[in-house]
């Protein structure tokens, strides 16, 4: 257990409410992302210490600040009946898979705002200075009056309307709470080009998510899938026609006879089975590669671990080092394919 978490437990026991970021909390547990096993471990430690995070560390942006406090007595876990003790607890809830709008950086970066009585020139200057297409129109940090944008300014001018104050070019704005699932919010963002995000705790406007932010997020989420799909195809090409069906079945789980019987080609294997196949020296020889087997398999095993993160839809995605690993291994596969021709 990290000394930082020990200090948190000590502070909470004294009635204090220390704080940190989600990223820092993960670091205390030797992790960088909120993978299922990591989340379970942290939750267990928090429960054992009688501590809760506010907000829930799984439901916010990875760099959001969270505080630690004692679990309210009314929310403390009930005693487990004797007849139920020893039974395994549920490991997954559908809510665990929710990717919330609050997990996006843009939803947490605040907003540049003008009030309705500000001049249009001020709004234009702010949009130019920050390279924004729109601004929030607010009377205070809780009261969202609407938005002003290049589009609304252009529309008013095209109708020969005089523009003096921001209120002359205001348009209604859509605001959603930070607990809204991202995929439900997607349609609103597409339809309106942007939405403002409110904190469900205090109703403050915490950020604005635009269609551009959305497209960047989906690229961030989809690129690893595309890279992994490309690598899997490259591996199938490398292995195709090199092995008898019996050799492929041999590396499958002996306990799953039905699946072993269904294996007919390399395409029927899992990524882990590709790795087990070529880890055997006698199988590696059949590939005819003049490279080191142990190094190649170690690189491929790293890809396998990244693939597991991606396929389990880790809300924090993968880091740049993992991207580099996928790109590097894909380039290696391309080079091996070129040498074989």
């Amino acid at each position: 257990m990290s000394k930082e978490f020990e200090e948190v437990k000590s502070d909470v026991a004294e009635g204090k409410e220390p704080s940190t970021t989600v990223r820092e909390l993960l670091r205390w547990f030797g992790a960088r992302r909120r993978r299922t096993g990591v989340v379970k471990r942290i939750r267990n430690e928090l429960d054992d210490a009688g501590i809760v995070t506010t907000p829930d560390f799984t439901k916010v942006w990875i760099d959001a600040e969270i505080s630690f406090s004692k679990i309210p007595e009314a929310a403390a876990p009930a005693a487990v009946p004797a007849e139920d003790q020893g039974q395994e607890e549920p490991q997954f809830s559908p809510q665990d898979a929710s990717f919330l709008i609050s997990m996006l950086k843009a939803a947490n970066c605040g907003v540049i705002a003008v009030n309705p009585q500000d001049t249009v020139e001020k709004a234009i200057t702010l949009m130019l200075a920050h390279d924004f297409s729109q601004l929030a129109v607010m009377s205070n940090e809780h009261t969202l009056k609407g938005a002003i944008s290049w589009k609304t300014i252009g529309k008013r001018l095209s109708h020969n309307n005089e523009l003096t104050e921001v209120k002359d070019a205001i348009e209604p704005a859509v605001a959603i709470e930070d607990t809204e699932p991202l995929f439900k919010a997607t349609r609103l963002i597409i339809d309106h080009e942007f939405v403002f995000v409110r904190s469900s705790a205090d109703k403050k406007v915490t950020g604005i998510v635009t269609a551009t932010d959305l497209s960047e997020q989906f690229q961030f989420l989809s690129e690893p899938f595309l890279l992994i799909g490309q690598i899997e195809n490259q591996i199938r090409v490398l292995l195709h026609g090199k092995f008898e069906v019996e050799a492929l079945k041999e590396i499958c789980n002996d306990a799953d006879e039905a699946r072993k019987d269904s294996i007919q080609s390399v395409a029927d294997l899992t990524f882990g089975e590709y790795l087990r196949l070529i880890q055997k020296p006698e199988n590696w020889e059949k590939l005819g590669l003049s490279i080191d087997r142990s190094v190649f398999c170690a690189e491929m095993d790293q890809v396998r671990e990244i693939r597991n993160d991606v396929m389990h839809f880790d809300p924090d995605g993968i880091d740049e080092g993992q991207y580099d690993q996928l790109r590097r291994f894909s380039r290696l596969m391309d080079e091996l394919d070129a040498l074989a021709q």
Side-chain angles (χ1 to χ4, degrees), residues 10 14 23 26 30 50 52 54 87 119 137 165 174 184 197 203 218 234 239 262 286 303 310:
S10 177
E14 295 174 4
R23 190 185 299 277
L26 293 173
V52 65
T54 305
Q87 293 185 7
T119 64
V137 180
E165 296 182 337
V174 175
K184 288 182 67 175
V197 181
K203 306 305 178 185
F218 280 108
Q234 291 170 317
L239 303 180
S262 70
K286 295 180 180 179
V303 172
V310 171

Side-chain angles (χ1 to χ4, degrees), residues 205-223:
V205 176
T206 60
I208 176 174
V209 179
T210 68
T212 298
D213 295 321
L214 193 64
S215 63
E216 289 176 351
Q217 184 63 32
F218 280 108
Q219 180 182 0
F220 171 73
L221 292 172
S222 63
E223 186 177 358

